[in-house]
Amino acid sequence: MTTEFDLGALLAERGAERYELHGKYLNHQLPRMLHTIGFDKFYDRGEGAHFWDADGNEYLDMLAGFGVMGLGRHHPVVRKALHDVLDAQLADLTRFDCQPLPGLLAEKLLAHSPHLDRVFFGNSGTEAVETALKFARYATGRPRVLYCDHAFHGLTTGSLSVNGESGFRDGFAPLLPDTPVPLGDLDALAAELAKGDVAALIVEPIQGKGVHEAPPGYLRAAQELLHRHKALLVVDEVQTGLGRTGDFYAYQHEDGVEPDLVCVAKALSGGYVPVGATLGKDWIFKKVYSSMDRVLVHSASFGSNAQAMAAGLAVLAVMENEQIVANARLTGELLKSRLAALTDTYELLADVRGRGLMIGIEFGRPRSLKLRSRWTMLQAARKGLFAQMVVVPLLQRHRILTQVSGDHLEVIKLIPPLVIGEAEVDRFVEAFTAVMDEAHSGGGLMWDFGRTLVKQAVANR
């Protein structure tokens, strides 16, 4: 007798238990944190750059699932591709054949970076980085990998070794041989390369933590230095790639940059099936896979699965057909310019930076005595509390989801779906202006919430 599984019935029956289930069986601190800041919503449905809660309220997504939802939620072309690949009932993951979809997706990806030749498909951004680290060390025969201060490349042991935030690294040592260098500091890079044991430098063209862009000319100069010392340039485009910054890859904003290895993931999934890819030069792959005995020296159980490949192919088709990269560039310029124009109006607003639809809004010490005393109180309790005070009313009052750009940072990062347009820009700027008006008035619910955050920060010390 066959027992049917009814997902809809299960969600209808148990969906309201979501926070209790998470607290009991998963990360117990997540529901606690969400409840503290009032983010414990019941989201039920999403489409494009918007989603809806259980009461039917609509929200604007300026977070895109940390960049995963590049095309927004449930793009019809990607959705159809997944239905089609399931209906095809392919002989997937036999592991002893060569299916067509991985080759087709690799071909499409490599067309956007013609100096690269081959692709390894894994299941996430951190796997793409792990692959690059392994390949770089094997291809050069050297152990050490350089990374930049404040970098974020993932949280598995290898990728954690090139993570520039101590809060993530603490308690997980020993890690791989590594050394941090300041982003943009060519002298520091040269000093490390002179030691002769460096396999590679891994770098984000725009850092996700704080939204800091590599200085003009840095990537090309670093590439020349690395190659002079027989080391590799690895560019992490997990968040910045696939149109996010207004070019297909962020490193392409600088002429002459041709990385040896490039890591992509997130948006390539279409928001459905996890997928990561490491693109590299032919000689590197041939050195790693140097004989038939080494054919499986690096592999992934679910790598190149049909659903992920179909999603990736559909995403690239949508990007081309709907001019997603051009939209990210134009809409990003509009949003950034509108926000930058506010820096003269609000003394708490220190900087607006970024490229395309990856924008950082930084807050800083105000000039006026009244605001300065409140700012100092927040900073004494925990750096980053003011940015959190902005994020919360954006969601609670204006139903716009954003994020603080990193622990102890007074920066909000905007990485919305790349399909947003002028209407969403208007909505965000209007809401942000209202929040800034309240913050500069020196009173109201926003500062009351700030006191709550201060108490919470002190209690957690």
Side-chain angles (χ1 to χ4, degrees):
M1 179 179 176
T2 302
T3 302
E4 288 189 4
F5 171 67
D6 190 332
L7 181 63
L10 179 63
L11 288 173
E13 180 185 357
R14 307 277 315 268
E17 301 173 43
R18 61 189 73 186
Y19 285 91
E20 291 81 2
L21 288 166
H22 199 107
K24 186 174 181 179
Y25 298 117
L26 301 169
N27 181 347
H28 64 289
Q29 294 290 6
L30 178 60
R32 182 182 176 209
M33 180 272 288
L34 294 173
H35 177 71
T36 298
I37 63 174
F39 271 39
D40 49 346
K41 307 291 185 183
F42 282 57
Y43 299 122
D44 281 353
R45 184 173 65 87
E47 183 179 344
H50 306 268
F51 43 90
W52 288 262
D53 65 19
D55 296 322
N57 296 310
E58 175 269 340
Y59 296 76
L60 173 61
D61 180 15
M62 297 295 282
L63 179 58
F66 298 141
V68 168
M69 302 291 177
L71 300 182
R73 285 169 172 78
H74 307 298
H75 193 286
V77 173
V78 184
R79 186 183 175 100
K80 181 180 183 301
L82 289 171
H83 280 284
D84 289 346
V85 78
L86 289 173
D87 290 343
Q89 295 186 305
L90 299 175
D92 195 22
L93 299 180
T94 69
R95 291 309 176 199
F96 288 95
D97 76 339
C98 293
Q99 287 287 310
L101 294 181
L104 291 169
L105 180 55
E107 182 180 62
K108 285 285 188 182
L109 269 178
L110 291 167
H112 293 280
S113 48
H115 73 285
L116 298 175
D117 309 291
R118 296 182 183 273
V119 181
F120 175 86
F121 287 114
N123 306 286
S124 65
T126 195
E127 282 189 39
V129 169
E130 293 280 357
T131 299
L133 297 179
K134 285 181 66 176
F135 283 25
R137 295 176 82 202
Y138 191 86
T140 61
R142 297 172 177 176
R144 197 155 57 102
V145 178
L146 307 180
Y147 62 95
C148 295
D149 292 334
H150 310 298
F152 186 91
H153 299 290
L155 297 176
T156 49
T157 302
S159 59
L160 188 62
S161 300
V162 290
N163 195 311
E165 296 292 338
S166 61
F168 288 112
R169 295 166 62 100
D170 290 348
F172 295 105
L175 301 171
L176 299 181
D178 60 71
T179 304
V181 293
L183 180 67
D185 190 333
L186 292 168
D187 291 336
L189 176 61
E192 294 301 328
L193 288 170
K195 298 175 183 178
D197 64 341
V198 172
L201 167 71
I202 184 168
V203 61
E204 303 156 275
I206 303 177
Q207 291 186 328
K209 299 297 180 184
V211 195
H212 292 290
E213 188 172 0
Y218 172 72
L219 292 179
R220 183 169 181 178
Q223 174 180 278
E224 292 172 357
L225 265 176
L226 288 157
H227 289 174
R228 196 180 309 154
H229 290 270
K230 310 297 185 188
L232 306 183
L233 175 62
V234 180
V235 173
D236 182 343
E237 295 270 5
V238 168
Q239 189 164 114
T240 54
L242 274 74
R244 169 61 57 190
T245 67
D247 214 328
F248 194 87
Y249 292 121
Y251 76 79
Q252 293 171 336
H253 291 291
E254 187 175 322
D255 291 338
V257 180
E258 295 187 348
D260 301 288
L261 293 159
V262 174
C263 304
V264 299
K266 288 190 182 291
L268 188 60
S269 68
Y272 280 103
V273 186
V275 60
T278 306
L279 290 64
K281 293 183 176 178
D282 185 66
W283 74 267
I284 298 173
F285 275 65
K286 284 185 174 175
K287 197 156 188 177
V288 172
Y289 299 109
S290 57
S291 68
M292 285 193 288
D293 288 343
R294 292 179 58 82
V295 69
L296 295 177
V297 72
H298 187 70
S299 59
S301 295
F302 285 93
S304 300
N305 72 81
Q307 288 79 28
M309 300 298 97
L313 284 163
V315 166
L316 296 183
V318 170
M319 290 185 66
E320 182 177 345
N321 295 336
E322 299 184 13
Q323 299 184 310
I324 297 298
V325 177
N327 184 69
R329 182 168 56 251
L330 294 173
T331 305
E333 288 173 358
L334 176 64
L335 177 57
K336 183 181 173 183
S337 64
R338 294 275 302 277
L339 291 170
L342 300 176
T343 54
D344 292 335
T345 303
Y346 300 113
E347 57 182 294
L348 283 160
L349 184 55
D351 189 28
V352 177
R353 57 178 175 265
R355 277 185 183 268
L357 284 171
M358 184 172 182
I359 295 172
I361 304 171
E362 183 167 9
F363 305 102
R365 188 172 184 264
R367 298 180 302 276
S368 61
L369 182 61
K370 184 176 182 181
L371 287 176
R372 202 185 316 152
S373 63
R374 292 172 181 265
W375 175 266
T376 302
M377 173 193 70
L378 292 173
Q379 297 296 297
R382 191 176 192 276
K383 190 174 180 182
L385 288 188
F386 182 80
Q388 191 64 61
M389 284 172 53
V390 175
V391 163
V392 169
L394 281 173
L395 181 71
Q396 298 286 44
R397 298 184 197 171
H398 303 281
R399 298 201 296 273
I400 299 175
L401 183 63
T402 58
Q403 68 168 131
V404 178
S405 182
D407 202 26
H408 300 285
L409 291 180
E410 294 290 4
V411 181
I412 291 176
K413 179 168 64 176
L414 304 181
I415 47 170
L418 306 183
V419 296
I420 69 164
E422 188 173 353
E424 287 79 12
V425 169
D426 290 344
R427 177 174 170 180
F428 179 81
V429 173
E430 181 180 341
F432 182 75
T433 301
V435 172
M436 286 291 95
D437 283 341
E438 182 179 351
H440 286 75
S441 72
L445 294 175
M446 185 174 173
W447 289 101
D448 290 341
F449 178 69
R451 283 189 283 272
T452 299
L453 288 179
V454 167
K455 291 177 183 176
Q456 186 73 28
V458 172
N460 286 333
R461 283 181 174 176

